[in-house]
Amino acid sequence: MPAPALTGLSPNQGPTAGGNTVTLTGTSLGDVTTVFFGTTAVAFSIASATQITATAPPGVVGNVQVTAVSPGGTSGGLAYFYVALPTLTTVSPGQGPVAGGTSVTLTGTNLSQVTAVRFGTSSAAFAIVSATQINAVAPSAPAGTPGAAQVTVVSPGGTSAGLPYFYAALPTLTSLSPTQGPTTGGNSVTLTGTNLLNASSVRFGTTTATFSVVNSTQINATAPARTAGSVQVTAITPGGTSGGVGYQYVAPPTLTTLSPNQGPTTGGDTVTLTGTNLTNVTAVLFGATATAFSVVSATQITAVAPAGSAGSVQVTVTSPGGTSGGLTYTRITPPLV
């Protein structure tokens, strides 16, 4: 009776905990009475004269020789490798958008032979950097909804314990208040929307603004300086970047002439103000007194001079772009008859 011979093991590696099924191929295997992993006899089943299935026993990291014994003798050995169980210690960042696509660094031990990275039940693309680091790209949320998924890695040594990765909902912006302000910035703007709690950035166009998160539906931001014109305001969170809401930067108004520049203390006369950037004017002041006015164009306003004591006052206009410099208007006491 010929001695058994082994030509292949599949797989030829497995976890130190054992328990995985290994297929032995060779010749003269029909009469095998014992299969050894190193010096440990294992449970096995003869499939045919050329194939045996065996259950790997527990072992330590390293390799052992697998042999088969029959009345005809003992086969030569084939190496079987015990691989350490991979572990994960950190997942960074630990959150990202439901749509996936975030680059995530996994650190741990025994990662050199990892064959799969999973976020919940979803497989991720990955690259092994070293025995202690893997770079992965988070897939979309397994259920397509916000929530936590367990990140695990798989190798011939087994499947690691999981670490949580949180899929965050996409932020939205629904309104800004106010929707316009001066080119110098500095004014407070309230952003309302949804899923704003973990906002990491607020942008007016491409310019980053200082801000504070009030709650999941409100952020208070300070508008940065920009040139006149419209920009889109967006909020960024681990869930992604919101759609934009328009904010208008308004140039400061200026006054160049008043006509007439004097009038009676009783008021009531019409004064024409000329200047620039007057379209959005919200107030006309004679000194500290607001008065009725009408915007004619971007360069002209007509206002009604209010009553006041004799003397000079400064006339100014205010818009979302700021307050103009003042021009002098003089009230004159009417002559006595």
Side-chain angles (χ1 to χ4, degrees):
M1 178 181 294
L6 293 179
T7 56
L9 302 177
S10 180
N12 66 354
Q13 55 186 351
T16 55
N20 56 311
T21 298
V22 180
T23 298
L24 291 64
T25 54
T27 59
S28 303
L29 303 181
D31 297 315
V32 165
T33 57
T34 311
V35 173
F36 287 99
F37 278 61
T39 58
T40 303
V42 302
F44 70 96
S45 174
I46 298 173
S48 68
T50 60
Q51 184 174 308
I52 289 173
T53 56
T55 302
V60 296
V61 175
N63 68 81
V64 295
Q65 293 293 303
V66 177
T67 55
V69 179
S70 78
T74 300
S75 70
L78 292 179
Y80 179 85
F81 296 87
Y82 282 99
V83 180
L85 182 71
T87 67
L88 289 179
T89 53
T90 63
V91 173
S92 180
Q95 54 188 350
V98 170
T102 302
S103 295
V104 180
T105 299
L106 287 61
T107 57
T109 61
N110 307 316
L111 305 180
S112 295
Q113 294 178 272
V114 162
T115 56
V117 173
R118 295 181 182 140
F119 284 61
T121 56
S122 298
S123 295
F126 69 96
I128 296 171
V129 178
S130 68
T132 59
Q133 182 179 321
I134 288 174
N135 293 338
V137 177
S140 59
T145 56
Q150 292 295 305
V151 179
T152 56
V153 294
V154 181
S155 83
T159 300
S160 71
L163 290 179
Y165 178 86
F166 295 92
Y167 283 98
L170 184 72
T172 68
L173 289 181
T174 54
S175 66
L176 304 178
S177 181
T179 58
Q180 51 186 356
T183 55
T184 54
N187 56 310
S188 295
V189 180
T190 299
L191 290 62
T192 56
T194 62
N195 306 315
L196 303 179
L197 199 58
N198 294 309
S200 57
S201 182
V202 171
R203 293 179 183 157
F204 283 60
T206 57
T207 305
T208 300
T210 58
F211 70 96
S212 62
V213 176
V214 178
N215 53 43
S216 64
T217 62
Q218 183 177 320
I219 290 173
N220 293 337
T222 300
R226 283 185 65 97
T227 56
S230 181
V231 297
Q232 294 293 301
V233 178
T234 55
I236 299 171
T237 75
T241 300
S242 72
V245 176
Y247 179 85
Q248 186 75 28
Y249 278 96
V250 180
T254 67
L255 290 180
T256 54
T257 62
L258 302 178
S259 180
N261 63 359
Q262 57 183 353
T265 56
T266 54
D269 54 326
T270 298
V271 179
T272 299
L273 291 65
T274 56
T276 61
N277 307 316
L278 304 181
T279 303
N280 297 307
V281 163
T282 57
V284 174
L285 299 179
F286 280 63
T289 304
T291 189
F293 69 95
S294 176
V295 175
V296 178
S297 68
T299 60
Q300 185 175 308
I301 288 174
T302 57
V304 178
S309 57
S312 298
V313 295
Q314 292 295 299
V315 178
T316 57
V317 296
T318 300
S319 81
T323 298
S324 70
L327 292 179
T328 301
Y329 180 83
T330 303
R331 292 191 182 96
I332 300 171
T333 303
L336 295 175
V337 177

